[in-house]
Each structure stands twice: as structure tokens, then as C-alpha cells.
């Protein structure tokens, strides 16, 4: 799985831009977006990028306790042991993009929060490999956002905000 958590309290960015140094504002607009949503979008982008960067400790620290327990880890150290398995390939020119944020209602053990599609494109290491994931982000401490739910969107599913909302209400 290519998705890891990063909970960062960063300045807001507009939707669907690429993570990385020098990334500019994307085509998604976002003039009416509040600061909390912008920070959640940055956390979602960091969530995906942490896997690409293999920053397992930061990724595990940013997960909610519930999500860590769901994967069989009671502590951050146990989480790191689970997710740091060696990678078969390196993805040096991978791209991470995000879609539009959408409010999601509480579902099962998951609190209400923000739903967002994050897309991983492998680049030249695996041309055509694209993974779309729906993330549920919930407020953490001191203005951070934590990923509380991860649902892969398969190629038969849409990747718009309604598909994200639907996926996060199914699992």
C-alpha cells in the first residue's frame, strides 16, 4: 500500500496541485475554502507523500490511535515495524495530487471530518500505475489533521467528491 499518514500544520494550498518543492497553486481554485479545510488538504497530500518518502515514523505518529490499532499496532514503534517493509521498487519521479475536499459525516467508528481523493502516479518506474485513495481526515491537536480512514478507489469507481463520500461511508 502506498498510503501513509502525515499530519502537518501547514499553510493552505489550493486543490489538485502536486506535492514537492516548487509546487504552485493548482487548477482547483478554492477561493471559498476555509483555513481548516486547506490544512486538511495539506495533511492528505503529506499522508500520500510520506509513503513515497518512506518517512514511516512521522507517518505513524500522525495516524489516529484507532487507525493504528486497526492495523495491529498499539504504539508508534509497532506501527513503524509494520509499515517499513522493504519496497520492491523505488519511485523517484512519483507524483501526488489531490482532489476537492468534501465534508463527510460520522460513520461507524469514524468521526465526521473531511473526505479527499489523493492520487499516486508512479512515474517512469511503473508507467500507467495510478492509485486513487479516499481519505477521511479528522482534526487533531493544535490545528493538525489526522487520517482516520483509508479506502482505495478501484478503477471502476469515479474519483469525484461523491465517490469519495460514498467510499468512506461503506467501509
Amino acid at each position: 500500500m502506498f498510503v501513509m499518514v502525515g499530519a502537518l500544520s501547514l499553510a493552505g494550498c489550493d486543490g489538485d496541485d502536486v506535492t514537492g518543492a516548487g509546487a504552485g497553486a493548482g487548477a482547483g481554485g478554492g477561493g471559498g475554502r476555509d483555513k481548516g479545510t486547506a490544512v486538511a488538504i495539506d495533511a492528505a497530500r503529506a499522508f500520500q507523500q510520506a509513503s513515497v518518502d518512506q518517512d514511516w515514523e512521522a507517518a505513524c505518529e500522525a495516524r489516529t490511535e484507532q487507525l493504528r490499532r486497526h492495523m495491529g499496532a498499539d504504539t508508534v514503534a509497532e506501527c513503524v515495524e509494520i509499515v517499513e517493509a522493504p519496497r520492491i521498487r523505488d519511485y523517484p519521479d512519483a507524483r501526488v495530487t489531490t482532489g476537492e475536499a468534501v465534508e463527510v459525516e460520522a460513520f461507524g467508528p469514524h468521526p465526521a471530518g473531511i473526505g479527499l481523493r489523493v492520487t499516486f502516479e508512479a512515474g517512469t518506474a511503473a508507467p500507467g500505475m495510478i492509485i486513487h485513495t479516499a481519505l477521511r481526515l479528522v482534526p487533531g491537536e493544535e490545528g493538525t489533521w489526522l487520517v482516520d480512514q483509508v479506502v482505495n478507489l478501484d478503477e471502476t469507481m469515479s474519483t469525484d467528491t461523491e465517490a469519495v463520500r460514498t467510499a468512506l461511508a461503506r467501509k
Side-chain angles (χ1 to χ4, degrees):
M1 175 150 70
F2 297 103
V3 181
M4 300 310 305
V5 177
L8 303 174
S9 182
L10 301 173
C13 293
D14 289 339
D16 219 27
D17 53 315
V18 178
T19 300
R33 191 173 292 151
D34 67 25
K35 183 175 178 169
T37 300
V39 174
I41 290 169
D42 285 338
R45 208 176 273 119
F47 177 93
Q48 186 73 40
Q49 191 66 48
S51 177
V52 174
D53 296 342
Q54 299 180 25
D55 186 356
W56 309 128
E57 185 172 350
C60 287
E61 286 176 353
R63 288 182 186 254
T64 61
E65 283 185 47
Q66 175 181 320
L67 187 55
R68 282 196 308 262
R69 281 193 308 266
H70 179 73
M71 62 187 286
D74 290 328
T75 66
V76 169
E78 289 173 357
C79 174
V80 170
E81 286 179 26
I82 291 168
V83 299
E84 74 178 351
R87 296 174 58 115
I88 296 171
R89 286 194 180 117
D90 205 12
Y91 300 96
D93 60 342
R95 290 175 25 124
V96 174
T97 58
T98 60
E100 289 295 317
V102 61
E103 289 185 20
V104 291
E105 295 180 12
F107 175 76
H110 305 290
I114 294 175
L116 191 69
R117 177 207 28 94
V118 176
T119 299
F120 170 84
E121 295 179 58
T124 58
M129 184 173 122
I130 300 172
I131 299 171
H132 300 287
T133 307
L135 305 179
R136 176 187 301 266
L137 292 104
V138 298
E141 296 178 14
E142 300 179 21
T144 62
W145 285 78
L146 303 172
V147 176
D148 187 66
Q149 185 181 15
V150 178
V151 179
N152 287 330
L153 301 172
D154 67 39
E155 55 275 353
T156 64
M157 301 172 88
S158 174
T159 60
D160 63 11
T161 56
E162 193 55 39
V164 168
R165 184 179 279 133
T166 300
L168 295 173
R170 270 198 330 256
K171 299 188 178 207

